[in-house]
Amino acid sequence: MSRRDTLVHLFAGGCGGTVGAILTCPLEVVKTRLQSSAIPLYISTVQLSTVNGAAMTRVATPGLLHCLKMILEKEGSRSLFRGLGPNLVGVAPSRAIYFATYSTTKEQMNRMLEPDSVPVHVVSASTAGFTAITATNPIWLIKTRMQLDARNRGEQQMSALQCVRRVYQTDGLRGFYRGMSASYAGISETVIHFVIYESIKRRLLETRAATRMDQENEMARDPSDFMQMMMAAATSKTCATCIAYPHEVVRTRLREEGTRYRSFLNTVSTVSREEGFKALYRGLTTHLVRQIPNTAIMMATYELVVYLLGH
């Protein structure tokens, strides 16, 4: 792969990640709040009447709309964009590193193994995920801390710089790498996603080539091609997310300020024992509502930018 090709994938990956992050930031904030151990702040109690007239209190399971309403009422609309700064700072280099590493590794693996086979996609996605996580974890920790910093209307919100200082003063440099073990576990989601995505993409390209054999410019693309890529990305990401979602909850818990969780397995065990196994899937609906369009937008933007730059 030439230097220009690598730069094209870097730029395309950065563009895709940035566009997706901006459009889906409010859902990201809600999802993080639902995953945290501070979830009782968003749970409402419902008074029920029994047959004999006695009152009974039931705890209502929090959801996307309920949490969104609570944030808007107590903190204001600006809180729905908490952490957007670190997100924008991190998403471009993170996605750029990821896509550049993925494409470079895939190029090398295609020479060593059967081209575009499942092992090639697995190794490429794993390598890209590990590289991006290791390089950018401190940025995502700051983003999570800011999203969990719930303050009432009128109160001064913590800035990214203040958050960095608090993390360093409390935990030192090691504090910036909390939750990285859960992120490494989450590589499985990325691997599943790309294996399914590449398979669907290959079949779509084969179908397109077969139906356009008589056309003069077989490589020309129309809007339907990008819609198909978006659907492929959404489908593959949904499957991967449902399988690997618990690592998201574990990562959020490990990144909380003053967290009592110590490791990936310790968090899984503690949450399951104290809150039930279902707690490991809190925020899944919100995550899917956010992640599906985010991934579709990101992948479609990536493919579009690569295509426009003539790769």
Side-chain angles (χ1 to χ4, degrees):
M1 182 173 286
S2 67
R3 183 178 180 182
R4 181 183 181 280
D5 292 336
T6 300
L7 291 176
V8 166
H9 286 284
L10 278 167
F11 181 70
C15 288
T18 300
V19 173
I22 293 174
L23 295 179
T24 61
C25 184
L27 291 173
E28 169 76 9
V29 173
V30 173
K31 180 207 71 173
T32 302
R33 297 287 181 91
L34 290 173
Q35 291 173 341
S36 72
S37 61
I39 189 62
L41 296 174
Y42 305 96
I43 295 179
S44 62
T45 56
V46 180
Q47 296 294 330
L48 302 175
S49 296
T50 60
V51 177
N52 59 11
M56 170 178 111
T57 300
R58 178 175 67 85
V59 177
T61 302
L64 166 59
L65 295 179
H66 176 69
C67 188
L68 185 62
K69 179 182 177 182
M70 295 292 289
I71 293 175
L72 287 173
E73 288 180 351
K74 293 185 176 182
E75 306 173 45
S77 58
R78 289 185 60 186
S79 288
L80 292 176
F81 290 89
R82 296 288 292 151
L84 180 58
N87 209 355
L88 292 180
V89 169
V91 73
S94 176
R95 293 304 181 186
I97 292 170
Y98 184 92
F99 280 111
T101 304
Y102 179 82
S103 58
T104 301
T105 305
K106 182 179 175 182
E107 183 83 12
Q108 297 297 322
M109 290 295 103
N110 278 336
R111 298 173 184 173
M112 301 169 59
L113 303 173
E114 180 183 348
D116 293 324
S117 61
V118 172
V120 169
H121 297 150
V122 169
V123 173
S124 300
S126 299
T127 303
F130 183 87
T131 303
I133 288 167
T134 304
T136 60
N137 192 79
I139 299 175
W140 305 132
L141 179 128
I142 297 303
K143 181 203 72 172
T144 300
R145 290 283 179 91
M146 291 183 68
Q147 289 176 340
L148 293 175
D149 184 47
R151 306 200 181 195
N152 294 328
R153 290 176 182 269
E155 294 183 352
Q156 185 175 4
Q157 296 182 329
M158 179 175 59
S159 67
L161 183 57
Q162 290 174 328
C163 187
V164 170
R165 289 174 177 170
R166 289 179 64 168
V167 173
Y168 182 75
Q169 291 172 355
T170 304
D171 301 314
L173 290 177
R174 290 183 60 185
F176 292 100
Y177 291 90
R178 287 188 178 277
M180 195 158 65
S181 60
S183 294
Y184 286 149
I187 291 176
S188 61
E189 176 182 335
T190 304
V191 171
I192 296 170
H193 162 51
F194 263 94
V195 168
I196 297 175
Y197 174 73
E198 290 286 359
S199 177
I200 297 175
K201 177 182 173 181
R202 183 174 64 252
R203 294 193 179 190
L204 288 174
L205 292 177
E206 289 173 354
T207 301
R208 183 172 71 87
T211 56
R212 300 184 183 181
M213 289 180 61
D214 298 331
Q215 296 183 9
E216 294 183 3
N217 188 2
E218 296 181 18
M219 295 304 295
R221 294 191 181 184
D222 55 47
S224 65
D225 293 324
F226 295 106
M227 287 299 297
Q228 289 178 342
M229 292 300 177
M230 289 180 70
M231 292 301 298
T235 300
S236 59
K237 192 62 178 181
T238 300
C239 296
T241 297
C242 291
I243 294 172
Y245 182 75
H247 89 273
E248 290 267 351
V249 175
V250 173
R251 183 171 59 194
T252 297
R253 299 293 180 97
L254 288 171
R255 287 176 175 172
E256 291 175 342
E257 185 173 5
T259 183
R260 61 192 177 90
Y261 304 104
R262 294 292 171 260
S263 66
F264 179 81
L265 294 179
N266 168 259
T267 306
V268 172
S269 176
T270 303
V271 173
S272 299
R273 184 179 65 255
E274 296 181 353
E275 305 172 45
F277 183 74
K278 290 179 63 176
L280 292 172
Y281 284 87
R282 277 195 184 136
L284 175 58
T285 301
T286 305
H287 185 64
L288 287 174
V289 171
R290 170 196 171 271
Q291 192 74 344
I292 293 174
N294 179 66
T295 303
I297 293 168
M298 180 186 71
M299 297 300 292
T301 303
Y302 169 74
E303 296 284 355
L304 177 61
V305 173
V306 170
Y307 173 70
L308 292 178
L309 293 179
H311 180 64

